[in-house]
Amino acid sequence: MIFNEKIECMGREELKNLQSERLKKLVAYIYDNNPVYRKKLDQHGIGPASVKSIDDIVNLPFTTKEDMRDNYPFKLFSRPVSEISEIHVSSGTTGNPTVVGYTKDDLDLWSEVVARAIACAGGVPGDMIQIAYGYGLFTGGLGLHYGALKLGCTILPMSSGQTKRQLKLMTDFQPRILCCTPSYTLYMLDEAREMGLDPRASSWKIGIFGAEPWSDTMRTEIEQAWNMLATDIYGLSEITGPGVSQECAHKCGMHICSDVFYPEVIDSVTGNAMPEGEYGELVFTTLTKQGIPLLRYRTRDIVSINYEQCVCGRTSPRMSKVRGRTDDMIIVRGINVFPSQIEHVLLGIEGVQPHYQLIVERSVGGLDDLEIQVEIEEPFFSDEIKVLENLKQKIAREMESVLGINAKIRFVEPKTIQRSEGKAKRVIDKRTL
Ligand code: DLL
């Protein structure tokens, strides 16, 4: 089923006209409503009259994660906070997190794109959908929720965790669709077997998996183990959360809702457009958002885009799986973690040296484990075990409150973490996806 056939199957010219109209309105809107952007546009010599068509987008300035941080919490909003209906927050690089605000219309837009996504994966009205992404400040749970509501599904709003309960309700209620991170699906597999369930006999027939990178090998593993279709969903809080793009049953790239989120692929060093079909940094302009519309937001995700029509009938451009990042962000259990955040925490604690390494592993069960190896100062290292234990717990608590995840802290002797003359290798990612 195609949720919005008129838009999703629109001819290229017509789509381009729609995008052009929307971009013109957007630039005027931002110019009139956001002083930070107005200043930036003025500095680039751009006013509302400078934009005649979507092709002029290349003349607009980029927006970066640093812009989000520097304008914390609300200075990039184009509406007063009193007109914002909902706020979500995701990790920033250091210090301040990234804050986004949705007006009522923005929430309608989010519902629309996620409804398109669920339908694109094969969902239809009346399907029961188990949402096992976290509900709360993370956009996964509520995003899927709004889309499922719009499509007319029966929602099981589980949030993440409580694996036994997830499996029990799946067995008792027989939902057809499962939404969670792909690694959680593998984790649930072990638990299901332990509970004596036959995963291939599960009621889940469609999976909507995303929020972290995963490979086609992992897809095959999930599909075979659970006997379901596993599709990829992509999104980021800054643009709207999940629903920016989604795979159809043909699994040949994620269909981008480009009528509202205009994509570009650029060379991350020069900022110039990459030739069509080549890999580069993905950039989005939110064409119709009101709360926090963004011009040419640099996602730091590396992808390529295919503009050919898909066999499913949709004309929307399709993005490849995310091949990597232009920064050092890692995703652990669906949570974005920047080494710089960890460094910030460590350096605020007495006795800790600025030498650390992050080891990420995928446990046999399928979940990610993060170990932070830290050098501590000589006098501390020779201290009694109790002192060391307290210090460890303090670091773990701080990490939990800043990152929102449990990390294992391991102290190593001074001067044992490899020093580097160039870029320090902070992350050792042992996961094979
Ligand atoms: O992860 C939104 C989301 C929720 C997407 C649920 C899909 C499902 P953030 O927490 O802001 O938002 O993280 C965004 O996660 O820039 C990518 O690096 C990564 N990411 C998201 N989806 C995928 C995916 C949500 N399907 C960041 N494949 C993005 C690879 C993904 N990476």
Side-chain angles (χ1 to χ4, degrees):
M1 170 197 170
I2 298 180
F3 182 74
N4 189 337
E5 196 163 344
K6 182 166 179 281
I7 292 284
E8 292 178 80
C9 301
M10 195 176 248
R12 245 187 159 178
E13 267 316 295
E14 204 185 340
L15 179 62
K16 197 171 165 186
N17 290 339
L18 181 68
Q19 290 164 333
S20 296
E21 282 316 305
R22 288 181 168 171
L23 183 68
K24 279 193 260 180
K25 274 199 194 141
L26 171 78
V27 173
Y29 173 80
I30 287 188
Y31 194 87
D32 288 344
N33 290 287
N34 187 282
V36 175
Y37 262 128
R38 188 181 316 134
K39 192 165 158 207
K40 196 163 170 164
L41 289 170
D42 280 343
Q43 279 164 355
H44 280 78
I46 289 171
S50 324
V51 180
K52 304 271 182 293
S53 94
I54 193 74
D55 295 332
D56 296 326
I57 202 164
V58 295
N59 303 321
L60 302 180
F62 290 116
T63 307
T64 62
K65 190 105 180 159
E66 286 70 39
D67 292 321
M68 304 290 287
R69 183 192 58 199
D70 296 345
N71 292 294
Y72 178 85
F74 305 135
K75 288 205 282 286
L76 277 187
F77 285 15
S78 287
R79 301 258 41 97
V81 180
S82 57
E83 287 178 31
I84 297 293
S85 302
E86 191 167 310
I87 290 175
H88 283 267
V89 175
S90 75
S91 318
T93 41
T94 42
N96 291 329
T98 300
V99 183
V100 289
Y102 305 70
T103 61
K104 266 213 159 61
D105 285 349
D106 292 336
L107 289 177
D108 284 346
L109 169 70
W110 197 11
S111 310
E112 154 85 24
V113 294
V114 179
R116 287 186 204 173
I118 301 172
C120 190
V124 290
D127 275 343
M128 190 186 288
I129 183 167
Q130 183 161 352
I131 302 177
Y133 286 113
Y135 277 66
L137 290 176
F138 175 56
T139 52
L142 282 164
L144 265 301
H145 191 102
Y146 293 140
L149 209 55
K150 174 102 184 175
L151 182 60
C153 295
T154 307
I155 303 171
L156 200 52
M158 298 293 305
S159 197
S160 50
Q162 302 200 64
T163 310
K164 281 204 168 62
R165 205 163 183 212
Q166 303 266 5
L167 291 165
K168 177 172 167 45
L169 297 192
M170 178 271 281
T171 312
D172 297 348
F173 299 176
Q174 300 278 294
R176 202 169 82 93
I177 307 175
L178 169 68
C179 313
C180 62
T181 58
S183 52
Y184 190 53
T185 329
L186 291 180
Y187 181 80
M188 285 202 281
L189 194 60
D190 276 5
E191 193 83 35
R193 288 186 178 132
E194 251 170 52
M195 288 167 70
L197 300 176
D198 173 9
R200 288 193 57 84
S202 96
S203 67
W204 295 323
K205 290 290 157 264
I206 298 171
I208 301 181
F209 304 133
E212 64 184 10
W214 56 305
S215 61
D216 281 325
T217 324
M218 193 159 158
R219 185 207 307 270
T220 308
E221 210 180 318
I222 294 171
E223 290 191 327
Q224 287 178 354
W226 287 105
N227 187 23
M228 66 154 84
L229 168 76
T231 67
D232 201 351
I233 185 167
Y234 169 89
L236 61 163
S237 318
E238 293 90 321
I239 302 307
T240 197
V244 173
S245 65
Q246 163 72 44
E247 271 178 345
C248 65
H250 299 280
K251 299 182 277 196
C252 52
M254 292 179 266
H255 290 273
I256 303 174
C257 296
S258 68
D259 58 309
V260 283
F261 309 128
Y262 184 80
E264 296 171 81
V265 176
I266 61 159
D267 177 322
S268 65
V269 178
T270 62
N272 296 332
M274 293 298 290
E276 205 172 296
E278 288 192 19
Y279 278 88
E281 182 180 349
L282 181 60
V283 170
F284 279 112
T285 298
T286 61
L287 294 176
T288 59
K289 263 172 51 168
Q290 301 175 345
I292 176 164
L294 296 177
L295 295 177
R296 306 188 84 201
Y297 183 71
R298 298 183 62 153
T299 66
R300 302 182 179 185
D301 289 318
I302 298 169
V303 306
S304 66
I305 295 184
N306 179 345
Y307 285 87
E308 281 164 27
Q309 180 167 2
C310 180
V311 275
C312 73
R314 291 177 180 82
T315 47
S316 36
R318 283 165 286 146
M319 59 182 260
S320 67
K321 276 187 170 293
V322 175
R323 183 191 258 187
R325 301 260 316 163
T326 62
D327 62 11
D328 51 4
M329 182 181 93
I330 47 172
I331 304 183
V332 181
R333 301 191 179 193
I335 297 174
N336 305 347
V337 177
F338 292 91
S340 47
Q341 282 176 303
I342 294 187
E343 180 168 312
H344 194 69
V345 172
L346 289 176
L347 296 186
I349 295 176
E350 203 201 329
V352 174
Q353 293 271 332
H355 301 295
Y356 64 93
Q357 211 156 38
L358 314 179
I359 320 280
V360 199
E361 272 183 287
R362 184 149 289 168
S363 67
V364 193
L367 278 190
D368 300 333
D369 287 321
L370 171 65
E371 179 178 277
I372 305 177
Q373 299 188 348
V374 198
E375 280 185 21
I376 50 171
E377 287 166 13
E378 199 76 65
F380 275 88
F381 203 78
S382 45
D383 247 320
E384 11 170 334
I385 301 216
K386 195 159 166 257
V387 178
L388 287 179
E389 237 356 273
N390 284 344
L391 186 59
K392 232 185 228 181
Q393 278 174 16
K394 182 171 177 194
I395 298 177
R397 265 199 313 273
E398 289 275 307
M399 288 298 166
E400 159 106 65
S401 76
V402 173
L403 306 177
I405 51 168
N406 275 312
K408 188 170 159 217
I409 311 295
R410 193 150 82 85
F411 289 152
V412 295
E413 282 185 51
K415 305 206 175 57
T416 49
I417 287 179
Q418 204 184 353
R419 306 295 195 258
S420 150
E421 288 175 358
K423 232 170 151 32
K425 187 162 172 49
R426 295 291 188 207
V427 182
I428 299 182
D429 200 334
K430 294 186 176 166
R431 294 172 291 190
T432 40
L433 297 178

